Amino acid sequence: EVKDWEGKLIYIQDLLEQWLACQRTWLYLEPIFSSEDIVRQMPAEAKKFRAVDTLWRETMAAVNENPNVLEVSEIENLLANFTEANKKLDQIQKCLNDYLETKRLAFPRFFFLSNDELLMILSQTKDPTAVQPHMGKCFEGIAKVRFNDDDEVIEAMLSVEGEVVELANQVNVVAGDKKGAVENWLLEVQDSMIHCLTKIMGESVAAYAQTQRTKWVLEWPGQVIIGVDNIYWTAEVAGAIEKGALRDYY
């Protein structure tokens, strides 16, 4: 009889370990695979998760009806089922990490985001504005972007201070292969940002020589002002060194 009890207790211990492991992973993955976007992008993993989800819900329903640990432990193949479920959950998590890695390689600025932050974006690809809370991590200096009234076209960049830079090349986030592929339109935002700031920087360099400084400072974005200031300062210092007149410049 003692041996029987020992066997039961060891079985219950193993069962609870597998059960709790399943619970932890299920709690993490359930909201992820509740998203239609994630299910659409990872159909094989979604199918595996549905199988685990069914086991979890049916088991919990049975336990809720009869919360007796000894009777629950006698449910047929319960330990084997949870062990197999944990293997599937491990496979799902590995595939999920691989999936996130492909997204990061497609748009390297995603490496600045945690897995949870990236999943929050990827689970809401039908809503382009879902990326707004994470723009500051992806692009230093950009707090958010401004969409048009339909949330389909990005028109401008905004800094934390509220400074606005209109994009010369506006980005349509639902055109062609960009629809539902946040990494594709963010790449275009990046290219548009570089093109826009390069253009503004060139215009500001030309304007510096023709405009009174106190007026010029107020007409351009802060980042551009700092950049152009450094361009002229470097050019003037280099010229002073070449002429041997550095003391006079200072």
Side-chain angles (χ1 to χ4, degrees), residues 214-229:
T214 52
K215 182 182 177 184
W216 172 83
V217 166
L218 300 175
E219 291 179 343
W220 303 93
Q223 186 181 17
V224 171
I225 291 169
I226 294 171
V228 174
D229 251 351

Side-chain angles (χ1 to χ4, degrees), residues 53-172:
D53 185 62
T54 300
L55 168 69
W56 175 261
R57 293 181 187 276
E58 289 178 352
T59 304
M60 294 307 294
V63 171
N64 186 54
E65 289 180 8
N66 183 19
N68 183 300
V69 67
L70 290 175
E71 293 185 20
V72 168
S73 68
E74 292 176 1
I75 295 176
E76 188 177 358
N77 295 326
L78 190 57
L79 176 57
N81 288 340
F82 271 124
T83 303
E84 182 62 27
N86 283 326
K87 288 179 182 177
K88 287 182 180 178
L89 291 175
D90 287 343
Q91 292 169 1
I92 292 169
Q93 280 196 296
K94 183 180 183 303
C95 291
L96 186 62
N97 289 333
D98 291 343
Y99 169 71
L100 295 180
E101 186 72 9
T102 62
K103 294 295 182 182
R104 287 185 169 115
L105 292 174
F107 182 65
R109 289 174 186 263
F110 277 155
F111 280 104
F112 297 134
L113 303 181
S114 69
N115 283 355
D116 290 344
E117 289 170 329
L118 183 50
L119 282 167
M120 194 178 298
I121 294 172
L122 297 175
S123 64
Q124 304 177 73
T125 55
K126 291 179 182 177
D127 178 16
T129 62
V131 78
Q132 291 281 41
H134 312 288
M135 286 299 292
K137 280 192 173 182
C138 290
F139 298 91
E140 186 177 3
I142 299 179
K144 59 181 179 179
V145 292
R146 190 185 73 215
F147 285 85
N148 67 350
D149 294 338
D150 298 325
D151 290 337
E152 293 183 350
V153 178
I154 296 176
E155 302 173 329
M157 307 176 287
L158 287 79
S159 71
V160 175
E161 297 78 17
E163 201 170 55
V164 180
V165 175
E166 301 289 339
L167 292 176
N169 298 330
Q170 296 185 349
V171 179
N172 188 322

Side-chain angles (χ1 to χ4, degrees), residues 15-32:
L15 175 60
L16 289 176
E17 285 178 0
Q18 293 295 326
W19 200 324
L20 290 171
C22 184
Q23 176 181 265
R24 283 192 298 271
T25 313
W26 180 86
L27 285 170
Y28 174 69
L29 293 175
E30 197 275 336
I32 295 171

